[in-house]
Structures are given as C-alpha cells and as structure tokens.
Amino acid sequence: MLYPQRTLTRSHFDLTGIWDLAREREGVDYTAGFTPEKQVAVPGSFNDLYVEEEFRTWMKGIWYSYRFSIPAFFKGERVVLRFGAVSYRAAVYLNGKLLGSHETGYTPFEFDVTDSIQLGVDNLVCVRVDTILSAETVPMGNLSNKAEPGQIGGQYPDTPFDFFPYGGLHRPVSVCTTGRTAWLDNVSVTTTVDGTTGVVGLTGKFNGRAAQAELHLIETGATSHVAVADGVFNAALSIAQVKLWDVYQPNLYNVRIRLLDAAGGVLDEYVQRFGVRTVEVTGNRLLLNGRPVYLQGFGRHEDFPIIGKGLNHSVNIRDHELLKWIGANSYRTTHYPYSEELIRLAEEQGILLVGEAPAVSINFDYVTPRTLETHLQALTELIERDRNSPAVIMWSVANEATSDREQARPYFKALAERARALDSTRPITMVTCKGTEDKVMEYFDVVSVNLYPGWYHLPGQVAGAQEDLRIILNAMHDKFKKPVFIAEFGADTIAGQHSLPAEQWSEEYQTDLLMGLIEVMRGCDFVIGEHIWNFADFRTAQNFYRVGGNRKGVFTRERQPKMIARFLKQKWAVGRYA
Ligand code: GCB
C-alpha cells in the first residue's frame, strides 16, 4: 500500500482532529451516527483522556465518528479513505454503508470510496474500534490471566504482554486521490552495489490500463521508459558513483514513477524514496555495506503520557534526538510495527531498525490455526509496508513465544518461509526468551535473545549476573551456531532512587548492572548487538510488580535521562569494531 502523497495526480487531506466517541451498548445501531459520550483526539489512544476508570480499561467495542465535506474539484477523481493504524480491529462505515474491516493494530488499510463519498455535502465516517483480544488475535489476550514461566499473567486488563493495550485511531486518517483510470498499487525496490555503482531493481504493480511506465531518478536526472504488462512493470536502474545509505549517513534517492497512456499523458504519478545499501549476515557478523556493524540501541515502545500510542511528531523527534545524543545506532520496533512516519524519520536520520511483527507472547497452549493465519497476515502487511525502507535491516517475526514447544516448529517455519518469500534481501530473526531450549532458531539467520540476569534472577548480584550471562551466551552460540543479538536486558529503575552500595531499583544498580553486562557481551565475538530494555519508561497493565508501569527506561517516560545515560553515551561513542 502506498503512502499518501501530493503529486500531479495524487492529493490527500487529513481527517485528524476532534472526533466523537461512544462505548458500544447492546441493541444500539451506531453505523449511521450516534449520540456521543465524549470527544476524542485522532490520532491518539482513548484510554488516558478521561477521568472515568471504565474508559481506561475498556476492552470492548467503542465507536468513533467524524463529519467532513469534500470539495467539488474531487469530481471524477478516484478517492480512497486510508487509516494509518487502528488498534486492535476496525469496521468502517461511510454514510451508513460498511466499507470493510481490518484486523491487527499497527498497519495501514484503505478503501476505495469513489462511489460512496458525497461531493460538497457532509460525509459521516463511523468506525467501530474493538480492542477485544483472544487466543486468535495477534497479540493474544484474555487468556484467563494464565502465564508461562517467563511470560506475564495476573494483569488488569488481562494481557500476557508487558505494555498497556491502548486502543483507538492511533495514526492519521486521510482522504486521498490517485490516478483515475490507472493507479499504482504497490512499488518494491531492491538495491545492490557493484563497485561504485548502485544497482536498483524496481517492480511496480498497478490497476487499470497504461501504455508504459516512466522512471525519473530525481537526484541524477536520468529518465527511462519501460513496458508494462498485466498491471506490472520491472525496471533496472543504475546509479554511477552511488552515495550509500549508512548509519548517520542517510543518503536517499527518489524515483518519480509515472504511468503513461499511449499519447504520453500522465495517468498516475508517485515518488518512491529509497536508499542504496546492502545488509547480510556472514559468519559471526552482521554486515552493512560490506562492513561489520554492531547494533547498539534499545527496545522501545510507542508510548507517551495521555496520547498513549497515538502518533506524535514532537515525541518522535525528541526520541530520535536522544538516540543520536546517546550514540545509539539502532532500535527494534518492539513489539509491533511503528508508524510509517517514524520509519521515515529513521530513514532520514540514518538509524537502523529491526522491524517486528505485532506478535508478542504467543503461547502454544492456546494457539489455533487461525492465530497463525492472523500472524502471517500481520507479518505480510509489515513487510509490504516497510520493505523499501533502507533503515530496516532485519525482520523479527515475533517476540517471546513459548518456542520451547514442539508446536512452535511448524508455526515458525511457516512464518520464516513467508518472510523470505516476501523479502529475500534481509536477514530474519525471532526473539526468544527460551535460551538453549528454543526449538525454532534453525529457521532464522540471527539468534535474538532476551536475558535478564541481575533482575528476574540473581537479583542484586552484578558479578553473578555477568557470569550467568557469559555461560548462557556461549551455550546458545555452541548450540545454534549463529550470531547472537541481545535484544533485551535491563533493570527497573525509579528515577531519583539512589543507593550505595547499589541495589535493585536504584539508578546506581541499573548503571552497574547494564554496564557490567555490556562488558560480557563485548567479550563474546559472536554477539552482534546490545539493545537495552528499554529506551524510556512506559505504561503497562496493572499488576503488583510494576510501579506506574515498566521502569526499565534509560530515559523517563517524559524523556529525561537517568544516571546510566551518560555512561552509555561514553561507551557508545566508540563503536565495538571501530
Ligand atoms: C521481556 C519482554 C518485554 C518486557 C520485558 C520486562 O522479555 O519482551 O516486553 O517489558 O521483558 O521488562 O519484563
């Protein structure tokens, strides 16, 4: 699915702002409008806006509506209604008519509304949002609060994962126009390098009839024409003296794609941005543009006071400023695809991303064939959305499943096969918490692991935690014989809590433990990266072990540094292979 743009043939305007909201009651029809209970911000989560507890933990149907007008110059245009992401499930009605629905909360979806939108008069869009999780949703939820060792249970709302199940229209909603008689649907770009030449493969898919496609590389001025057949065209472009996209060197190129009619008229125009870079795993190294790169950074969340998981450009910019300040080169989009706007920011700033599917805490006690279908669909939507981004260097198909079970094998084999079929250019991984007991690592290129010595076990014992880490890392490498990426390690830390000698929850302990663990990781030649859990403190469901949420942030939820930040900044100023 393409990103909204304004070009010769395309336009869009946002339906962001204040919408109406009502919780769903039995027997009431909301599809053609309803009496609002509250006003709600779009984009944003609804949960933390109000003072009533019932809204905060509402995990059932809830309705959003918005009235908007369409100018007369839209006449004759093809019009699409696009949602950046709705958590968890959306059913969309325009002027009382069902357009369709979408499941999983972190990827865009759109509907062709050319025939149902009304020009010049008020249109009403009503969206049934539902945040009901089950054994067949991804992520799962409502599993009677049962938990495996290593997974989370006993929470309110009932979720087996460790972040608040925010709901709502989290990303922009827009009305877009595209070409009328022919329009691009999908573009995919792959890049390799031959000496100093960038070799770019581009495939475009479109609807309607076009005579040919024109490709114009904006940075070099080169233009070429290619034949189209059955709604597809393929092109090979080369860029002499190519400037590679790299960490903190975000060289980007833009190709203007036009679908032309037989007389050379422009039917549709779209500009695809890309970067030329290579990524591969060889032996014990992750190579970016042929050189080893060591991942230093964080797991994160889209999470901020009041707006919850709603897109907020200011927070995103602040976060990237902090990442650069501290010397991080990467983060994992834990535990779901982040907004398209954030991926673009990483692309523009030269930050590496491990793109993760929204599958956290898959528990094979509950998995059904439908769970796998949903998971495959979510993974497909992630890869199709982000595969042109040079920032994404690896796909993570899931985080912390009960992957020590036999049932995990066919399940993860199917996911790995799907990821490779959609994208053969990037390494793939799955983030395990099962250590050497994991049964699915054979399907992946990198062994990603979450380890919490010094926190969930060996509390308060830095030296013991270091020794424990050394043993488990070596055991995992001996068993799986693949490079190991430490995808999470951390310690809850209350900003302002101090203790000498250092003990759990203090800023001193987080500093001593994490810096000590990093020493061990750097002593293992097969370790390709260290991602601290977490970049910032974040909201979780309620339970007896989180104090106002997860406090493992190196920054507070308000994005101010804890003590460890300056130590990390010093450490990360010098890359491991530098
Ligand atoms: C993990 C999970 C993450 C949790 C973290 C923790 O292993 O992947 O979602 O928040 O542990 O702090 O317990």
Side-chain angles (χ1 to χ4, degrees), residues 516-548:
L517 295 178
I518 285 175
E519 285 315 308
V520 174
M521 292 167 200
R522 296 203 171 193
C524 298
D525 186 53
F526 51 83
V527 169
I528 61 161
E530 58 201 31
H531 273 189
I532 291 176
W533 191 258
N534 189 283
F535 172 72
D537 294 348
F538 58 92
R539 176 79 86 194
T540 62
Q542 293 178 63
N543 54 46
F544 62 82
Y545 42 87
R546 296 274 180 253
V547 186

Side-chain angles (χ1 to χ4, degrees), residues 98-123:
L98 177 66
L99 297 175
S101 57
H102 181 261
E103 178 176 354
T104 73
Y106 302 94
T107 36
F109 54 94
E110 63 183 25
F111 306 103
D112 185 326
V113 294
T114 312
D115 296 332
S116 45
I117 207 149
Q118 301 175 34
L119 297 185
V121 295
D122 268 3
N123 288 279

Side-chain angles (χ1 to χ4, degrees), residues 162 335 399-400 450 452 456 488 533 538 546 550 552:
D162 189 34
H335 295 307
N399 179 74
E400 296 200 346
N450 297 342
Y452 285 92
Y456 292 119
E488 288 179 25
W533 191 258
F538 58 92
R546 296 274 180 253
N550 188 307
K552 295 193 183 71

Side-chain angles (χ1 to χ4, degrees), residues 17-57:
I18 308 282
W19 289 44
D20 285 334
L21 183 86
R23 287 168 293 173
E24 186 174 77
R25 305 285 174 206
E26 252 186 75
V28 180
D29 182 5
Y30 296 81
T31 58
F34 54 83
T35 311
E37 274 189 276
K38 295 280 187 192
Q39 292 183 300
V40 64
V42 173
S45 302
F46 62 81
N47 311 74
D48 288 351
L49 298 180
Y50 316 113
V51 296
E52 298 91 344
E53 200 280 328
E54 309 90 74
F55 280 95
R56 178 145 201 279
T57 47

Side-chain angles (χ1 to χ4, degrees), residues 89-143:
R89 200 185 266 110
V92 180
Y93 296 80
L94 181 63
N95 301 325
K97 189 178 144 234
L98 177 66
L99 297 175
S101 57
H102 181 261
E103 178 176 354
T104 73
Y106 302 94
T107 36
F109 54 94
E110 63 183 25
F111 306 103
D112 185 326
V113 294
T114 312
D115 296 332
S116 45
I117 207 149
Q118 301 175 34
L119 297 185
V121 295
D122 268 3
N123 288 279
L124 178 71
V125 59
C126 294
V127 185
R128 180 184 191 271
V129 177
D130 109 36
T131 49
I132 306 168
L133 301 180
S134 73
E136 299 187 327
T137 60
V138 176
M140 296 171 140
N142 272 313
L143 305 179

Side-chain angles (χ1 to χ4, degrees), residues 4-288:
Q5 279 186 4
R6 282 182 288 271
T7 67
L8 275 185
T9 59
R10 291 176 174 249
S11 66
H12 66 96
F13 63 90
D14 272 356
L15 303 187
T16 54
I18 308 282
W19 289 44
D20 285 334
L21 183 86
R23 287 168 293 173
E24 186 174 77
R25 305 285 174 206
E26 252 186 75
V28 180
D29 182 5
Y30 296 81
T31 58
F34 54 83
T35 311
E37 274 189 276
K38 295 280 187 192
Q39 292 183 300
V40 64
V42 173
S45 302
F46 62 81
N47 311 74
D48 288 351
L49 298 180
Y50 316 113
V51 296
E52 298 91 344
E53 200 280 328
E54 309 90 74
F55 280 95
R56 178 145 201 279
T57 47
W58 190 260
M59 296 281 288
K60 300 178 223 164
I62 193 159
W63 286 80
Y64 278 65
S65 76
Y66 191 71
R67 283 195 181 278
F68 62 99
S69 301
I70 290 292
F73 60 72
F74 267 52
K75 192 169 171 53
E77 298 294 326
R78 176 175 177 267
V79 187
V80 165
L81 181 60
R82 186 187 201 268
F83 293 80
V86 178
S87 245
Y88 168 80
R89 200 185 266 110
V92 180
Y93 296 80
L94 181 63
N95 301 325
K97 189 178 144 234
L98 177 66
L99 297 175
S101 57
H102 181 261
E103 178 176 354
T104 73
Y106 302 94
T107 36
F109 54 94
E110 63 183 25
F111 306 103
D112 185 326
V113 294
T114 312
D115 296 332
S116 45
I117 207 149
Q118 301 175 34
L119 297 185
V121 295
D122 268 3
N123 288 279
L124 178 71
V125 59
C126 294
V127 185
R128 180 184 191 271
V129 177
D130 109 36
T131 49
I132 306 168
L133 301 180
S134 73
E136 299 187 327
T137 60
V138 176
M140 296 171 140
N142 272 313
L143 305 179
S144 322
N145 260 322
K146 292 198 191 111
E148 278 275 304
Q151 293 201 322
I152 298 219
Q155 300 208 102
Y156 179 60
D158 177 359
T159 47
F161 50 84
D162 189 34
F163 55 92
F164 193 83
Y166 282 112
L169 274 54
H170 284 154
R171 298 180 190 159
V173 182
S174 43
V175 176
C176 315
T177 62
T178 70
R180 297 175 192 181
T181 56
W183 59 93
L184 274 165
D185 234 7
N186 186 300
V187 177
S188 91
V189 179
T190 56
T191 66
T192 54
V193 184
D194 182 7
T196 56
T197 303
V199 182
V200 182
L202 187 149
T203 298
K205 293 194 179 146
F206 64 96
N207 285 298
R209 289 166 65 87
Q212 57 174 336
E214 179 189 277
L215 305 167
H216 174 74
L217 202 51
I218 292 174
E219 285 73 16
T220 65
T223 305
S224 53
H225 291 85
V226 291
V228 303
D230 300 326
V232 180
F233 58 89
N234 292 296
L237 310 173
S238 63
I239 307 175
Q241 302 302 323
V242 69
K243 290 188 184 135
L244 298 183
W245 187 98
D246 213 322
V247 179
Y248 292 156
Q249 288 169 23
N251 294 309
L252 291 166
Y253 290 90
N254 293 275
V255 58
R256 187 191 71 201
I257 305 168
R258 285 180 172 171
L259 295 174
L260 303 179
D261 63 19
V266 179
L267 301 171
D268 196 15
E269 182 181 85
Y270 184 80
V271 178
Q272 178 63 55
R273 190 162 81 171
F274 64 93
V276 180
R277 56 115 187 85
T278 60
V279 59
E280 64 192 300
V281 172
T282 310
N284 280 334
R285 292 286 181 272
L286 175 66
L287 303 183
L288 185 69

